[in-house]
Amino acid sequence: QDPPALSLRAAAKAALCGHRAAARAILVRALESDPGCIVAWDLAIWNEAADAQWEAAAALAHVAVAVNYTSATLWQQWQRLEGLRENTEAQLRLRALASAAGVRTLTEGASTADSHVLG
């Protein structure tokens, strides 16, 4: 099995070359071995979005946030995805949910550090 960084690099390279199915398979293995890997979730979400698989991307974002609910990065990615889908209502709802979970996203002035839970 490849070290995580090599797997993610391979997935990113495959996605950039348009080999979305190969990237997807690599990312599935990466997430199965480490569901807490924010970068793998991020790549998986945007791999689907790049292929115009909006529902799949949104489902991945939902699961990513459920698994890593303290990750401001994943909450932010989900909000951005909904923005691309022109779903303003969902963006506002997600901002409220993140706030209720104690997570500040960049739109609320959080730092760029990932897990930014108010304490």
Side-chain angles (χ1 to χ4, degrees), residues 31 35-38 40-42 44-46 56-82 90 93-103 105 114-115 117:
L31 288 167
C37 182
I38 305 302
W41 283 111
D42 197 32
I45 291 163
W46 294 107
L60 282 169
H62 188 147
V63 173
V65 165
V67 172
N68 302 283
Y69 69 92
T70 62
S71 170
T73 296
L74 291 174
W75 280 99
Q76 187 69 37
Q77 295 306 321
W78 196 2
Q79 288 176 29
R80 286 183 181 149
L81 177 66
E82 293 301 341
R93 187 174 63 247
L94 289 170
R95 193 171 296 137
L97 286 170
S99 180
V103 177
T105 60
D114 185 60
S115 295
V117 178

Side-chain angles (χ1 to χ4, degrees), residues 36-58:
C37 182
I38 305 302
V39 174
W41 283 111
D42 197 32
L43 285 170
I45 291 163
W46 294 107
N47 183 56
E48 296 302 325
D51 203 23
Q53 298 298 316
W54 302 109
E55 292 301 320

